[in-house]
Amino acid sequence: MRRVEHVMGFPVSLRVDDEGSGSRLDEVADALFAWLREVDARFSPFRPDSEVCRYDRGELQLRHLSADLTEVLDLCEQYRLATGGAFDVRLPGRPLDPCAVVKGWSVQRAADLLTAAGARRFILNAGGDVVVAGGPWRVGVRHPEHADQLCTVLELTDGAVATSARYERGDHIVDGRTGTPATGLLSISVVAASLTEADATATAAFAMGPEGVDWAAARPGCEVFAVDAERCVRRTPGFPVATVAA
């Protein structure tokens, strides 16, 4: 089964290779995309009626937030503390924006729906951030300066990879310690067991700049591939680069 929908401002593609699953997986896919649309409606900082915006305006008190948003905000605070404030969803003069955590968290939840339904081999790609199961799968990482090229290809069996970079949205990631755009890296990709961890770690490390590479590499279960502003590549020994077939 293959399916693509545009959700949360980017394409989300799903491929499930399990044979004989039929209409049951179609129903799970329906639930998966419905969940992502629900997340967009509830957590978008660009929708005035979203739970995030209502909370940011003071219309909802902390004790009245949904369990999901409370979980997301707790994760945001964990990363803020872990990065010494470089990762911060509450930048001065800007609205509350937890998207850097929401994306990976919600797509991982979507992948968990597949696993719970018995899917054994699948790949879920949300705007370049990927969750896989039952591999091996090969996943390309876009070159940070050339849209038609890859800078590496990795091989994953079960897990996730996320990339933070400047090529899609420019200097949109801000170092919360300085309030200025983070420009020390061109891109950083993080492999982890879950997309929740991979995506938030990649964004947090990008906000930290070059020091974020070592910070991300030191996190348990994380492997890193980064290109800094000087075009130098830094890679942890365990980053699962695909081997060239003979």
Side-chain angles (χ1 to χ4, degrees):
M1 180 187 71
R2 300 190 184 202
R3 190 157 154 185
V4 180
E5 293 193 16
H6 198 270
V7 189
M8 296 192 289
F10 46 80
V12 178
S13 65
L14 170 64
R15 171 179 166 180
V16 183
D17 284 357
D18 294 4
E19 297 181 2
S21 299
S23 60
R24 181 176 58 85
L25 276 182
D26 288 334
E27 293 173 0
V28 176
D30 288 342
L32 181 155
F33 284 103
W35 159 250
L36 294 178
R37 288 191 293 271
E38 176 188 341
V39 168
D40 191 29
R42 290 170 55 196
F43 295 159
S44 172
F46 310 109
R47 294 173 177 250
D49 61 341
S50 73
E51 186 177 6
V52 165
C53 287
R54 292 170 61 208
Y55 173 58
D56 193 36
R57 292 194 301 265
E59 296 171 9
L60 292 174
Q61 296 184 0
L62 184 62
R63 67 178 182 274
H64 296 144
L65 297 184
S66 67
D68 286 340
L69 182 53
T70 299
E71 179 181 348
V72 165
L73 294 177
D74 286 346
L75 285 169
C76 291
E77 181 62 7
Q78 290 174 29
Y79 281 94
R80 186 188 70 81
L81 294 173
T83 61
F87 177 92
D88 198 337
V89 300
R90 297 177 180 275
L91 295 168
R94 299 193 182 195
L96 171 65
D97 184 357
C99 289
V101 167
V102 168
K103 181 185 179 185
W105 170 84
S106 63
V107 175
Q108 182 61 52
R109 280 272 196 98
D112 292 344
L113 291 175
L114 293 169
T115 302
R120 298 181 302 277
R121 177 174 166 80
F122 63 83
I123 181 166
L124 179 59
N125 185 331
D129 295 337
V130 178
V131 184
V132 304
W137 293 96
R138 289 198 168 196
V139 180
V141 176
R142 201 194 108 164
H143 193 289
E145 296 181 302
H146 305 289
D148 60 343
Q149 298 179 27
L150 299 176
C151 61
T152 190
V153 177
L154 56 149
E155 188 171 281
L156 283 178
T157 297
D158 297 284
V161 59
T163 299
S164 286
R166 298 160 64 187
Y167 51 72
E168 288 290 350
R169 297 171 57 193
D171 294 331
H172 68 289
I173 299 177
V174 173
D175 183 341
R177 298 169 298 187
T178 64
T180 60
T183 58
L185 298 175
L186 295 183
S187 71
I188 183 167
S189 299
V190 175
V191 171
S194 77
L195 193 59
T196 305
E197 173 75 12
D199 193 24
T201 298
T203 305
F206 195 98
M208 295 176 75
E211 67 179 292
V213 179
D214 290 336
W215 172 83
R219 292 182 68 81
C222 289
E223 300 292 344
V224 179
F225 183 101
V227 182
D228 67 23
E230 304 301 320
R231 281 76 179 172
C232 293
V233 172
R234 298 173 62 186
R235 185 182 77 193
T236 54
F239 191 84
V241 176
T243 57
V244 178

